[in-house]
Amino acid sequence: MNSEQWDARYRDARTNTDTGLWSTQAPRAITDVLSDLTPGTALDIATGDGRTALWLAANGWVTTAVDFSAEALRTARERADAHGLEVNWVRADLTSWRTADRFDVVTVAYLHLPRADNTSVLRAAASWVAPNGELIVLGHDIQNLDTGAPGPRDPELLYTPELLRDAVSEYLDILQCRTVIRDAASDAELPVGSPGQARDTFLRARRGPAASQL
């Protein structure tokens, strides 16, 4: 989907729902890791309507968030303003956007692009991690095709541990890379009526204190 199509989805969600397009809660797999880290600078890419970026800002992180949908960022700004939170919102296409800044943590949640674009963005994300910083990635696992869980139906757009590991292992030290299972009965992120379980791919990787940049 292009930015105009995503704009339409976010605009429709803002008009016709009380909660928006997604859950307002940041993904638990990401916040569980972040809760153990000392707040510093953070970059949330493919932020959507800002749920992870807002969690970061609320928990002491100096946060930049990037998305290519103007309507998603409109919702994100409104939510930030409502809670008195400061986030540097950036509208940009991640397949071409680059920054000279480095961040103590870079988060990527549910960014699903064609394989070559996805690998390129993940490698760029790895390059934005500061020394001793971390990259955290979460997305729909290819096993969801067999479970009927939410997410893209095109296997080209879905994650595997091997895909994430291969994308960044040349640049970062892999701490975790695995498929994780979410229980629909207890997971507020999953829509009502979702199948019993959904599978995500989760990556946590760290840059060493003197590792070279890309």
Side-chain angles (χ1 to χ4, degrees), residues 18 21 52 62 65-67 111 116 127 129 133 136 149 161 172-174 189 194 204:
D18 294 329
L21 190 56
T52 301
V62 178
V66 184
D67 202 276
L111 172 65
S127 77
V129 177
I136 303 169
L172 303 175
D173 298 323
I174 306 297
E189 294 175 58
S194 295
R204 181 182 182 186

Side-chain angles (χ1 to χ4, degrees), residues 6-70:
W6 278 111
D7 282 345
R9 289 190 68 184
Y10 281 108
R11 189 183 304 111
D12 181 68
R14 187 170 53 251
T15 302
N16 298 312
T17 72
D18 294 329
T19 58
L21 190 56
W22 315 113
S23 167
T24 57
Q25 298 182 27
R28 184 173 176 179
I30 292 179
T31 59
D32 281 351
V33 171
L34 295 173
S35 295
D36 292 332
L37 301 179
T38 300
T41 57
L43 173 65
D44 183 41
I45 64 174
T47 193
D49 51 16
R51 58 185 180 142
T52 301
L54 295 173
W55 188 97
L56 285 159
N59 285 273
W61 294 82
V62 178
T63 305
T64 297
V66 184
D67 202 276
F68 73 168
S69 168

Side-chain angles (χ1 to χ4, degrees), residues 75-96:
T75 299
R77 288 190 182 95
E78 290 174 353
R79 291 176 175 173
D81 291 344
H83 291 89
L85 298 173
E86 292 188 11
V87 176
N88 176 29
W89 304 107
V90 178
R91 184 186 177 194
D93 184 338
L94 286 162
T95 61
S96 57

Side-chain angles (χ1 to χ4, degrees), residues 99-111:
T99 178
D101 294 330
R102 299 295 177 261
F103 301 86
D104 298 312
V105 70
V106 178
T107 55
V108 189
Y110 302 105
L111 172 65

Side-chain angles (χ1 to χ4, degrees), residues 145-199:
L145 290 176
D146 299 324
T147 68
R153 311 320 295 167
D154 182 353
E156 171 77 5
L157 303 179
L158 294 167
Y159 287 178
T160 67
E162 292 75 20
L163 183 152
L164 297 188
R165 185 182 298 111
D166 290 349
V168 306
S169 60
E170 182 179 350
Y171 316 108
L172 303 175
D173 298 323
I174 306 297
L175 303 181
Q176 297 180 53
C177 190
R178 58 193 175 91
T179 299
V180 297
I181 296 176
R182 293 190 286 155
D183 183 355
S186 60
D187 193 328
E189 294 175 58
L190 293 172
V192 174
S194 295
Q197 293 182 337
R199 288 171 170 80

Side-chain angles (χ1 to χ4, degrees), residues 98-151:
R98 295 296 182 265
T99 178
D101 294 330
R102 299 295 177 261
F103 301 86
D104 298 312
V105 70
V106 178
T107 55
V108 189
Y110 302 105
L111 172 65
H112 292 278
L113 300 170
R115 189 66 51 87
D117 287 337
N118 207 75
T119 297
S120 176
V121 171
L122 290 175
R123 288 179 175 169
S127 77
W128 300 327
V129 177
N132 295 313
E134 296 196 11
L135 171 67
I136 303 169
V137 183
L138 183 70
H140 298 293
D141 192 277
I142 198 169
Q143 294 180 45
N144 278 344
L145 290 176
D146 299 324
T147 68

